[in-house]
Amino acid sequence: MTSIISIARLELLIARRNLWVATAIILMAMFNVVLTVAGNAPTGVLGASPMTIAITSITTLSVYLVPLIGLLLSFDAIAGEAERGTLTLSLSYPLSRAEILLGKFIAHLVVLGVAIAIGLALTTAIIVSRHGTSAIEWGPLAALYFTSLALGATFLGLGYTISSLVKQTGAASGVAIGLWLIAVVLYDLGLLGALVTDAGGAFSKTIFPYALVANPADAFRLLNMPDQSVNMLASGLGAASSVTGFFGQLTSLLLWPVAALLFALLAFRKVEP
């Protein structure tokens, strides 16, 4: 455990000089502020609380932004060291590859957690300044934070997998962006096309809800969807949510980080410095 913490500390020191770290924090802070300020406008019309509107808007943003930040933090974790020649040194230490990978993961998860926390703290501050402390709903806010971490952890693991399989950082970045497009954009478009083609048939009623929850980004979105009175703000996925249920969505979101790290470890073990 001590060796894992030492690697995490070293990775955090490196992260302080990493442009992607500053970019992640700035992006989360900027978009949270913009969405919170803009989202306060329709609260009176919709009859929803300011926090509900903010969480709905931030959830929609986080589905796209958190996976992207996770991949940007991790796509060169292995390939970058191999290119710089430091991977050979790292593997020469009396550490297992699992310890090295977990150390990197902890450091990057801390960075991601700080970025998400800053964004949500700014959202909370804006709502308090406009509506008072009574407008804060701590339960949904905490759920959004921890599910965002789980979503980010999934794509950190997938980023390490890419970084282990692709030797050049340029190629790894291209594969990472391709994975992001598939996971958060093309996957849902494919399901939508299948729904339209099926026209209310067996796929729509039996396969679609589970295919949707199998994607961690969609499981995250369903978990953080507000109550039925404001489902119109999110994405109209209430029917799928009722079929899979809270437990199915949470299971998908929690299993994906574990599976992604296992994929990364298997790929990393095959890397030759």
Side-chain angles (χ1 to χ4, degrees):
M1 188 64 183
T2 304
S3 57
I4 295 175
I5 294 175
S6 298
I7 294 172
R9 287 176 178 173
L10 177 61
E11 289 292 330
L12 284 173
L13 290 174
I14 296 173
R16 291 171 57 185
R17 304 190 298 271
N18 192 331
L19 178 62
W20 294 121
V21 172
T23 301
I25 294 174
I26 292 171
L27 283 176
M28 289 300 299
M30 180 179 67
F31 281 110
N32 275 40
V33 169
V34 170
L35 289 174
T36 304
V37 172
N40 272 255
T43 53
V45 177
L46 295 172
S49 69
M51 180 59 78
T52 298
I53 299 293
I55 286 178
T56 303
S57 301
I58 294 169
T59 296
T60 303
L61 165 73
S62 298
V63 166
Y64 299 97
L65 192 55
V66 170
L68 181 61
I69 292 174
L71 289 170
L72 291 177
L73 289 173
S74 60
F75 79 91
D76 67 340
I78 308 300
E81 283 204 32
E83 280 192 350
R84 293 188 296 270
T86 57
L87 183 60
T88 303
L89 180 61
S90 298
L91 295 178
S92 68
Y93 296 140
L95 301 172
S96 68
R97 298 198 180 203
E99 289 175 322
I100 294 174
L101 195 64
L102 282 175
K104 290 177 179 291
F105 174 75
I106 291 171
H108 291 148
L109 192 63
V110 167
V111 171
L112 189 60
V114 169
I116 296 170
I118 290 174
L120 292 180
L122 290 172
T123 292
T124 303
I126 292 171
I127 292 176
V128 168
S129 68
R130 292 192 169 194
H131 305 280
T133 56
S134 60
I136 301 301
E137 300 172 23
W138 296 108
L141 196 64
L144 179 58
Y145 177 77
F146 287 109
T147 53
S148 296
L149 272 184
L151 181 63
T154 296
F155 284 86
L156 284 174
L158 294 176
Y160 299 142
T161 304
I162 293 170
S163 192
S164 298
L165 295 174
V166 181
K167 295 182 179 180
Q168 293 80 26
T169 55
S173 64
V175 174
I177 295 300
L179 174 63
W180 176 80
L181 282 172
I182 292 171
V184 305
V185 179
L186 298 181
Y187 186 88
D188 286 348
L189 288 178
L191 288 182
L192 179 60
L195 278 177
V196 172
T197 303
D198 185 58
F203 175 84
S204 304
K205 297 176 181 178
T206 58
I207 300 175
F208 168 73
Y210 299 100
L212 190 70
V213 173
N215 184 344
D218 287 320
F220 166 81
R221 181 169 16 215
L222 290 170
L223 280 169
N224 290 285
M225 186 178 292
D227 60 38
Q228 296 297 321
S229 64
V230 291
N231 272 350
M232 67 186 76
L233 294 176
S235 54
L237 300 178
S241 178
S242 63
V243 171
T244 56
F246 173 81
F247 179 76
Q249 299 152 21
L250 184 62
T251 300
S252 173
L253 194 60
L254 294 180
L255 285 179
W256 262 107
V258 177
L261 280 175
L262 288 176
F263 295 152
L265 181 58
L266 291 175
F268 187 33
R269 282 178 174 172
K270 297 180 180 179
V271 172
E272 295 294 335

